[in-house]
Amino acid sequence: MPPTTPYAGKFSSCVPYSSNANHQQPTSPYRSSTVPKPARENIYNGAYSVGENPYDIPQPHSGAYRSASVSSVNAKEHHYTSCALSENPYSSPQPYSPRQHSTSCPGRAHRHTSGSSGSSSDQSCRNNNNVAAAKARFYGHGVTTSYGEMCYHDNSLVSASLEALIQHLVPTVDYYPDRSYVFTFLLSSRLFLPPYELMTRVCHLCVEQQRSGDALLDKIRFREVAPKLVQLLTEWTETFPYDFRDERMMRCLKDMTLHVARGDEYSWRAMQQMTQRLIKRLSALGQYEEAVAALNVVAMERPASLKSKQASAQRSDVLSVCDDPFVLAQQLTHIELDRLSFIGPEEFIQTFAMKDPLENHKGFFRKRKTSNLEAYVSWFNRLSYLVATEICMPMKKKHRARIIEFFIDVAQECFNIGNFNSLMAIITGMNMSPVARLKKTWNKVNTDKFEILEHQMDPSSNFSNYRTALRGATQRSETAHSSQEKIVIPFFSLLIKDIYFLNEGCASRLPNGHINFEKLWELAKQVSEFLVWRQVVCPFDRERRILQYLVTTPIFTEDELHLASYESEGPENNMEKDSRRSLRSSLLHRENRT
């Protein structure tokens, strides 16, 4: 039967993944010499380059981020006995976790500022930064100072008006914004205004600031500032390329290219090269989305082999495609990293950003703003249902037990690799009610390893065990000497939840109308960590046949899973009998209508 009491022992059977080239792959009890070795080939048939990350993004300086706080909502608690975390390969302690926060947000409270609320220019604010630092040193820690409409605490920006923040982004001849500020504001500005409006205003301010009334002098001044404007636009296009699927953004970029061409040939050439790289990235994105859509169409087909339990016995199962848990975990990691690499950082913010009144604006680059994030969540759901389908499909109890043990081993290898998303998807699939009710099947399974894995992903205390493992995997990645040790694939749904509650738990605006920039720093910190993880290139060999099976083989719907479960092990009470009768009638009616 499915485990109900967690394993209280040590996770000694789970050997941490080694980067040693002589690492011996675990022998598999499922290996069959009659299974042909699949060809190593790209599952997406060359739709995009896997070895090359299409977004070589500039990373913000993490040291500039300020820690904030966020309300956390604990999931339903399960009372587990304690596990010796010293045996966990990811249990290395770290002094600070970006995901662990207190229960209050310091940005919620309106800070008293020592400066006047006058309308001094942002340029004077920039020139007085050294003065602010000197004052902070003089008055000690905890000093809050204001310059015009920008408020600093310990010489770090904590709040400002929207206009001041936009002005602070605009480069001048002797000023260029800090890269961490550029990333943070470009990421979260969409909470307050759409990207095309921000770009229009920044470009307009950059041009207008150089006007003096003398055409020759204006040309000279713009030639001096043009390289910095190109640098800003380059950071924008390389870090947030999906913003430019909006044809209004492309039109603004084209207008600026023409304007730069009149003043500086070198900057004009740089603008052309930047635009070419952008088009190439957007083209790769389009090819990827088309490939995923085509795979989903194949996966949605309902062949006859899935219409009845008896007929499904003739369908290929996962053990006939891959009988090595280590290899299957590697192929799952390929899929995870492939799909992670195409998620834009802005998609996390777009999920709760203000709605663009012109959202229905039609154009060549118009796409759903969170489509790649949604596709990745759909992959998690598909993997969960695939696991449940593979378990419920076999007619024989012994075969079902072998498949359960196989997926437990795959989940363990995912844990060792650092692929927490596939690990959680497998655990979710094995805990679905059609699988959990197969008591006779579970009685034939040694559940010790599964109970340990469940304990690692236990949702109690806001997933504290998982967060400890994630910190350890992150530390291993930071000190890695091989690509294998760099792999960190977080439990994605929890990452989204953390960012969502950070946004909901902290006000975006303070009582004086200023933007709460402390909140923006923390949002950027969490998203920038994800950007580091998604840039890792998967070091494992591709097995095309296995990949094809994972992403295209048909899976049972929830009703079909329940019916297959009842046909594997009959109903135990009148409620289950009524449920089986209703499911049979419903599915038969659906087939006849189709």
Side-chain angles (χ1 to χ4, degrees):
M1 63 181 294
T4 56
T5 305
Y7 179 61
K10 298 181 179 180
F11 202 171
S12 57
S13 60
C14 181
V15 182
Y17 185 83
S18 172
S19 62
N20 192 332
N22 296 323
H23 173 71
Q24 297 295 322
Q25 295 187 5
T27 57
S28 170
Y30 318 99
R31 185 178 299 281
S32 171
S33 59
T34 60
V35 179
K37 188 170 183 64
R40 293 172 179 173
E41 195 175 334
N42 190 342
I43 183 59
Y44 296 107
N45 297 320
Y48 62 96
S49 172
V50 178
E52 176 186 0
N53 189 331
Y55 310 114
D56 185 14
I57 56 175
Q59 290 299 313
H61 303 293
S62 59
Y65 294 133
R66 295 178 51 80
S67 60
S69 305
V70 62
S71 299
S72 61
V73 178
N74 291 350
K76 181 179 178 181
E77 293 201 4
H78 300 278
H79 299 286
Y80 286 94
T81 54
S82 61
C83 171
L85 290 179
S86 60
E87 296 297 325
N88 187 335
Y90 298 135
S91 61
S92 302
Q94 281 190 335
Y96 172 72
S97 168
R99 301 278 198 284
Q100 291 182 329
H101 308 284
S102 60
T103 57
S104 63
C105 174
R108 285 178 179 171
H110 172 56
R111 297 183 180 277
H112 174 72
T113 59
S114 60
S116 64
S117 58
S119 58
S120 59
S121 67
D122 187 66
Q123 185 63 41
S124 63
C125 165
R126 296 166 182 160
N127 294 336
N128 287 328
N129 278 344
N130 293 333
V131 177
K135 288 183 178 179
R137 289 192 297 269
F138 180 78
Y139 290 108
H141 295 291
V143 175
T144 300
T145 55
S146 294
Y147 296 97
E149 296 183 343
M150 304 189 75
C151 179
Y152 292 81
H153 183 75
D154 289 347
N155 206 32
S156 295
L157 179 62
V158 293
S159 70
S161 67
L162 181 59
E163 293 296 329
L165 292 175
I166 295 174
Q167 182 68 48
H168 198 58
L169 186 65
V170 179
T172 64
V173 174
D174 55 356
Y175 166 79
Y176 187 81
D178 183 78
R179 293 180 69 192
S180 61
Y181 175 81
V182 173
F183 175 80
T184 300
F185 189 57
L186 291 182
L187 174 69
S188 297
S189 61
R190 61 201 75 235
L191 291 171
F192 313 103
L193 76 170
Y196 76 89
E197 183 178 338
L198 175 63
M199 184 174 179
T200 301
R201 293 172 69 174
V202 168
C203 292
H204 174 76
L205 286 171
C206 188
V207 173
E208 289 300 315
Q209 285 180 165
Q210 314 310 319
R211 296 191 185 279
S212 63
D214 186 328
L216 180 59
L217 180 59
D218 291 350
K219 185 176 181 180
I220 295 174
R221 293 178 62 178
F222 185 78
R223 184 184 297 121
E224 293 176 345
V225 78
K228 293 185 178 180
L229 176 60
V230 174
Q231 181 182 350
L232 177 63
L233 294 177
T234 298
E235 289 192 41
W236 196 332
T237 56
E238 292 185 349
T239 312
F240 304 97
Y242 300 171
D243 285 348
F244 294 84
R245 303 187 94 172
D246 186 340
E247 67 178 14
R248 294 167 292 185
M249 293 284 288
M250 294 300 292
R251 191 183 306 118
C252 184
L253 189 63
K254 181 180 179 180
D255 292 342
M256 283 309 303
T257 302
L258 295 175
H259 192 86
V260 168
R262 293 194 294 265
D264 181 33
E265 182 178 357
Y266 175 81
S267 297
W268 172 69
R269 292 184 183 278
M271 287 282 287
Q272 283 188 318
Q273 295 172 358
M274 174 191 69
T275 304
Q276 291 172 359
R277 292 194 301 269
L278 173 63
I279 297 298
K280 183 178 180 181
R281 292 187 181 97
L282 294 179
S283 176
L285 172 64
Q287 291 178 350
Y288 160 78
E289 291 178 340
E290 290 175 3
V292 170
L295 293 173
N296 290 339
V297 169
V298 174
M300 289 298 293
E301 295 177 356
R302 312 300 299 167
S305 61
L306 283 179
K307 292 184 179 179
S308 67
K309 179 79 171 178
Q310 292 75 17
S312 66
Q314 302 176 1
R315 169 185 177 271
S316 298
D317 65 9
V318 66
L319 291 180
S320 66
V321 177
C322 177
D323 61 359
D324 189 334
F326 187 65
V327 173
L328 189 66
Q330 290 178 336
Q331 303 313 301
L332 289 172
T333 303
H334 264 298
I335 296 173
E336 299 279 356
L337 289 175
D338 284 349
R339 301 200 174 196
L340 274 180
S341 68
F342 282 94
I343 297 176
E346 73 284 349
E347 294 190 47
F348 293 98
I349 310 300
Q350 295 285 12
T351 56
F352 42 78
M354 60 179 292
K355 184 176 180 180
D356 185 350
L358 299 178
E359 192 173 276
N360 294 326
H361 178 80
K362 295 182 178 180
F364 180 76
F365 291 108
R366 181 180 175 271
K367 293 282 185 180
R368 281 210 316 261
K369 295 181 179 179
T370 58
S371 58
N372 298 297
L373 187 147
E374 294 169 12
Y376 189 62
V377 173
S378 297
W379 155 248
F380 177 93
N381 295 333
R382 170 180 169 77
L383 180 55
S384 298
Y385 272 84
L386 175 62
V387 170
T389 299
E390 294 289 341
I391 295 172
C392 291
M393 195 169 50
M395 294 293 296
K396 295 182 178 181
K397 176 172 52 180
K398 182 179 180 180
H399 192 186
R400 293 195 298 271
R402 285 185 62 217
I403 291 181
I404 289 177
E405 291 174 345
F406 176 73
F407 275 117
I408 291 174
D409 290 341
V410 173
Q412 177 180 327
E413 294 300 340
C414 287
F415 178 85
N416 292 338
I417 289 173
N419 182 356
F420 298 103
N421 200 58
S422 290
L423 166 63
M424 192 62 179
I426 294 172
I427 292 176
T428 300
M430 298 177 73
N431 278 314
M432 293 177 69
S433 57
V435 177
R437 66 169 298 277
L438 301 175
K439 296 180 181 179
K440 296 178 181 178
T441 303
W442 280 99
N443 284 336
K444 289 186 170 294
V445 176
N446 184 343
T447 61
D448 287 352
K449 286 191 292 185
F450 183 63
E451 290 164 357
I452 299 168
L453 292 169
E454 277 194 312
H455 182 64
Q456 291 297 328
M457 304 304 289
D458 175 21
S460 64
S461 301
N462 197 18
F463 289 88
S464 61
N465 292 342
Y466 158 71
R467 295 179 190 275
T468 299
L470 181 65
R471 289 199 301 274
T474 302
Q475 185 181 51
R476 181 186 71 175
S477 177
E478 292 171 351
T479 59
H481 301 290
S482 68
S483 297
Q484 295 177 3
E485 294 179 341
K486 292 180 180 179
I487 296 174
V488 180
I489 303 175
F491 173 30
F492 197 68
S493 296
L494 185 60
L495 174 60
I496 295 175
K497 191 200 83 169
D498 286 345
I499 295 176
Y500 173 80
F501 280 110
L502 173 59
N503 178 69
E504 293 297 313
C506 296
S508 297
R509 289 185 182 270
L510 301 178
N512 63 351
H514 278 194
I515 304 297
N516 178 11
F517 212 80
E518 281 188 305
K519 170 183 173 177
L520 271 55
W521 283 129
E522 186 63 21
L523 285 172
K525 181 176 182 178
Q526 296 214 13
V527 174
S528 65
E529 190 172 31
F530 160 79
L531 294 183
V532 175
W533 294 336
R534 79 164 192 181
Q535 288 187 100
V536 175
V537 177
C538 190
F540 308 122
D541 292 333
R542 284 180 170 270
E543 304 287 351
R544 186 182 186 281
R545 182 167 176 251
I546 302 174
L547 292 170
Q548 191 78 22
Y549 184 87
L550 290 172
V551 299
T552 64
T553 190
I555 56 177
F556 283 139
T557 63
E558 187 171 359
D559 287 347
E560 290 169 338
L561 276 176
H562 280 284
L563 185 57
S565 178
Y566 288 137
E567 292 180 357
S568 296
E569 297 185 16
E572 295 183 344
N573 51 52
N574 291 332
M575 182 180 297
E576 289 190 348
K577 290 179 181 179
D578 292 341
S579 176
R580 182 177 65 174
R581 190 180 305 111
S582 175
L583 287 170
R584 282 177 173 174
S585 175
S586 174
L587 292 176
L588 181 62
H589 175 70
R590 195 177 305 166
E591 288 179 12
N592 292 336
R593 187 175 56 183
T594 303

